[in-house]
Amino acid sequence: MEKQWWHSATIYQIYPKSFMDSNGDGIGDLKGITSRLDYLQKLGITAIWLSPVYKSPMDDNGYDISDYQDIADIFGDMADMEELLAQAEEHNIKIIMDLVVNHTSDEHAWFVEARENPDSPERDYYIWRDQPNDLVSVFGGSAWQYDDKSGQYYLHFFSRKQPDLNWENAELRQKIYDMMNWWIDKGVAGFRMDVIDLIGKIPDQKIKENGPKLHDYIKEMHQATLAGKDLLTVGETWGATPEIAKQYSSPAEKELSMVFQFEHIGLQHKPDAPKWDYIKELDVSALKEIFNKWQTELELGQGWNSLFWNNHDLPRVLSIWGDTGLYHQKSAKALAIALHLMRGTPYIYQGEEIGMTNYPFEDLSQLNDIESLNYAHEAMENGRAQEQVMDSIRMIGRDNARTPMQWDADANAGFSSSAQTWLPVNPNHADINVETALADPDSIFYTYQKLIQLRKDNDWLVDAEFELLDTADKVFAYKRDNYLIVVNLSGEEQALDFASDYKEIIISNTDVEAIFASGKLEAWDAFCVKVE
Ligand code: GLC
Ligand code: CA
């Protein structure tokens, strides 16, 4: 396998509304991000995945784009974007843009024209039908919206303000490639491709993801934009299996660098149930099996994994798999060690490196996310009690990931000079914040810093095979090359009955010598040792 820069990189995702507010309007912005690059450099990340900053009416916080070649006013302007790119380069940090091309905003010039003028070429950039079928939107209700002007319905897999693009139209595809090339020329290092598995949809046959032409489109896109350039591309592919992931990410296919698969995230919900029906007693054995499957089936040279616990659509991992109480710090380090030493490119979501948690939302007025609000209204109309609805949102809702980054213990967590932040600041910022983390050499931050450095320095982290070890259910243990990784994914004591000795401690959150002496793992113990 030819080694690429992103094989030993760690990527950091920024959700711009929530990272850093530079002008006191309570909303994060580009200048705010630029002002925090020193911090990100200290952490050691290779690249930022920047969630959308394009012009947008913000119906879905920027995932509804009205101009791909302009910046939303709340975030600044193109000069601020160029300044971020330049300053990031000074800090040795690359920028990966979010590419949202399954749909646009209904305020995009293409859609405005398509709606106003049914005879325009733009009409066919979208999907119009005389009659809707029973496809539903991810955000609730029908996926079809009636348009008065022409008496037809348009397709939207997400909100009504996010009409789906028609990838069958070659002229539209070319416009998207031109736009991508324009950003590549500006110096971006790649793209995270939003719901890319939907672009091959065939609505009349109710085919949503993995449509028959999906990979033709991605190959065409690759030739038109990525070929011969040293970029990282990662597709958001909820329905991927290892076989599908190979189609996208095998170098021979000339499509993408890697995809996000979501099987481990699926364990948070009851099978085949809405995401809101979450599971309280998570199945650690199933988690291990899923990691094992992806680590072994996506073989080296035939595909590449991405590794993540969190993103802007998911609850905070500590509130799901970890411990937000007594073992807050220790479980955060354990989850980081478990993930980052597998094969693949790790992604850190802002605040994960200091152990940010879910927010104790109490009522709907504290929420912003269209998905949660639509769900709440629909569920309550169907008779679900408000408390039950809030319980699901507190556990699973997307706003949990989107509350402001916690920089210090001051008012508004150092995120903004305004007390009117767009989402409330988590009250636990008094304890959980960057300033406190940086001052404590034993903090979660430094575990992440070390994991990032280890990946840069050690080829075995890139190449070595993964072998899952047979252990107690709640212990996740694997070997790679001459290295043993052991993580107790529970708050209870567990036996260490499969290792006898070690040569060198690589990283740990505990007293490794004591573990080997006693044969016992305490709550959330985690380590990597060299064994031969
Ligand atoms: C992706 C994004 C999510 C967004 C959706 C529609 O899943 O990650 O935030 O709501 O696509 O663009
Ligand atoms: Ca601002």
Side-chain angles (χ1 to χ4, degrees):
M1 183 195 65
E2 200 186 323
K3 194 171 164 190
Q4 310 287 342
W5 62 266
W6 38 264
H7 285 132
S8 49
T10 301
I11 317 298
Y12 187 92
Q13 184 190 354
I14 289 184
Y15 197 66
K17 275 184 100 171
S18 308
F19 193 62
M20 182 67 207
D21 174 20
S22 73
N23 63 348
D25 64 356
I27 306 173
D29 45 53
L30 289 170
K31 283 202 167 88
I33 298 171
T34 304
S35 73
R36 295 294 188 177
L37 288 168
D38 287 348
Y39 168 73
L40 296 175
Q41 187 172 29
K42 185 175 171 85
L43 182 58
I45 54 143
T46 308
I48 293 168
W49 151 20
L50 188 60
S51 274
V53 292
Y54 313 94
K55 187 123 310 198
S56 163
M58 298 286 155
D59 189 51
D60 187 21
N61 283 330
Y63 284 90
D64 49 319
I65 297 171
S66 54
D67 188 344
Y68 290 103
Q69 280 157 261
D70 202 352
I71 301 292
D73 293 341
I74 54 168
F75 296 139
D77 58 22
M78 196 52 78
D80 296 330
M81 185 66 214
E82 281 159 5
E83 179 66 8
L84 171 60
L85 280 161
Q87 290 294 323
E89 198 180 344
E90 291 284 304
H91 289 76
N92 260 319
I93 294 173
K94 301 175 197 291
I95 304 276
I96 291 162
M97 296 298 271
D98 216 309
L99 183 78
V100 189
V101 291
N102 174 65
H103 45 266
T104 66
S105 163
D106 66 339
E107 297 181 32
H108 192 288
W110 297 338
F111 192 75
V112 173
E113 183 63 20
R115 189 181 236 167
E116 285 303 307
N117 184 0
D119 295 326
S120 63
E122 284 82 357
R123 182 75 172 183
D124 190 51
Y125 291 8
Y126 297 88
I127 297 168
W128 301 88
R129 294 290 181 269
D130 292 332
Q131 286 301 322
N133 62 13
D134 55 9
L135 283 174
V136 292
S137 152
V138 174
F139 295 158
S142 168
W144 298 95
Q145 175 65 27
Y146 184 68
D147 178 53
D148 282 338
K149 178 117 185 169
S150 62
Q152 285 194 309
Y153 295 79
Y154 65 83
L155 180 74
H156 62 90
F157 280 150
F158 296 90
S159 93
R160 270 178 287 127
K161 290 184 64 60
Q162 292 167 296
D164 271 60
L165 285 167
N166 174 22
W167 274 73
E168 300 266 344
N169 185 303
E171 185 180 283
L172 164 76
R173 298 203 301 276
Q174 190 55 48
K175 290 207 167 165
I176 290 173
Y177 307 151
D178 291 347
M179 174 274 286
M180 290 171 70
N181 283 327
W182 186 86
W183 278 105
I184 293 170
D185 289 346
K186 276 207 174 302
V188 307
F191 300 98
R192 174 268 183 184
M193 301 188 182
D194 192 65
V195 291
I196 199 68
D197 58 348
L198 298 182
I199 63 172
K201 66 209 135 198
I202 307 185
D204 303 316
Q205 294 171 33
K206 297 189 203 160
I207 295 176
K208 297 169 92 173
E209 67 254 327
N210 301 321
K213 290 200 194 151
L214 169 63
H215 293 280
D216 294 343
Y217 294 149
I218 299 180
K219 285 188 165 68
E220 181 187 79
M221 173 196 279
H222 183 107
Q223 285 313 319
T225 63
L226 313 168
K229 294 166 201 150
D230 199 11
L231 304 174
L232 180 160
T233 47
V234 50
E236 185 199 20
T237 59
W238 281 81
T241 60
E243 274 318 302
I244 294 177
K246 280 183 207 171
Q247 272 181 279
Y248 287 108
S249 67
S250 160
E253 297 290 344
K254 299 201 172 12
E255 293 191 10
L256 306 179
S257 316
M258 65 191 100
V259 292
F260 292 122
Q261 64 84 16
F262 289 87
E263 260 193 90
H264 59 306
I265 301 298
L267 296 174
Q268 298 166 12
H269 324 291
K270 296 187 181 135
D272 302 317
K275 70 186 251 178
W276 306 104
D277 291 344
Y278 70 87
I279 293 180
K280 286 205 182 78
E281 283 299 313
L282 290 159
D283 186 345
V284 175
S285 311
L287 180 71
K288 286 159 54 174
E289 267 321 306
I290 289 173
F291 283 149
N292 185 36
K293 172 165 119 186
W294 281 88
Q295 288 291 301
T296 53
E297 292 185 21
L298 212 52
E299 290 148 68
L300 200 63
Q302 295 191 19
W304 188 252
N305 272 299
S306 40
L307 309 168
F308 69 99
W309 288 120
N310 282 286
N311 68 32
H312 65 292
D313 295 327
L314 302 174
R316 292 280 180 181
V317 66
L318 288 183
S319 304
I320 300 287
W321 290 100
D323 185 325
T324 55
L326 188 56
Y327 297 112
H328 172 255
Q329 297 252 344
K330 200 172 174 190
S331 68
K333 294 177 192 172
L335 291 167
I337 291 170
L339 190 82
H340 281 240
L341 300 181
M342 288 192 277
R343 186 158 70 200
T345 299
Y347 288 74
I348 301 170
Y349 179 71
Q350 65 183 39
E352 180 182 337
E353 77 282 13
I354 53 167
M356 281 178 63
T357 67
N358 275 2
Y359 185 94
F361 292 109
E362 271 170 10
D363 63 77
L364 296 179
S365 69
Q366 291 172 307
L367 299 171
N368 167 275
D369 174 26
I370 180 169
E371 184 188 42
S372 295
L373 291 168
N374 285 358
Y375 157 69
H377 294 132
E378 215 173 274
M380 276 150 57
E381 267 165 34
N382 292 330
R384 212 177 241 223
Q386 166 138 356
E387 225 354 83
Q388 234 184 320
V389 167
M390 284 312 298
D391 181 61
S392 285
I393 290 176
R394 258 194 302 276
M395 194 61 146
I396 297 295
R398 304 196 298 178
D399 283 330
N400 283 302
R402 301 177 181 183
T403 62
M405 179 73 180
Q406 294 163 207
W407 295 103
D408 60 37
D410 294 350
N412 323 319
F415 161 73
S416 174
S417 58
S418 164
Q420 291 302 313
T421 54
W422 76 282
L423 273 181
V425 172
N426 197 312
N428 67 19
H429 77 275
D431 301 315
I432 301 174
N433 63 66
V434 167
E435 194 175 65
T436 306
L438 291 180
D440 172 10
D442 205 27
S443 72
I444 303 165
F445 175 91
Y446 292 106
T447 295
Y448 274 89
Q449 186 190 54
K450 184 153 186 191
L451 288 165
I452 294 167
Q453 192 60 42
L454 282 172
R455 180 161 292 273
K456 289 183 190 162
D457 295 345
N458 291 280
D459 276 341
W460 69 268
L461 278 166
V462 175
D463 298 340
E465 299 290 315
F466 170 101
E467 184 196 345
L468 183 70
L469 301 179
D470 194 13
T471 60
D473 273 0
K474 302 251 160 123
V475 178
F476 179 43
Y478 54 94
K479 262 193 84 175
R480 297 189 63 197
D481 197 24
N482 292 330
Y483 298 86
L484 169 70
I485 295 96
V486 178
V487 181
N488 179 359
L489 288 173
S490 82
E492 297 101 48
E493 187 181 289
Q494 306 285 344
L496 175 87
D497 47 13
F498 52 89
S500 52
D501 208 359
Y502 67 93
K503 290 246 175 342
E504 185 192 340
I505 299 171
I506 306 300
I507 189 167
S508 86
N509 69 354
T510 187
D511 180 348
V512 176
E513 206 182 314
I515 296 175
F516 278 82
S518 67
K520 280 188 200 127
L521 293 159
E522 288 179 12
W524 296 106
D525 270 350
F527 62 82
C528 169
V529 291
K530 191 163 195 270
V531 283
E532 277 153 44

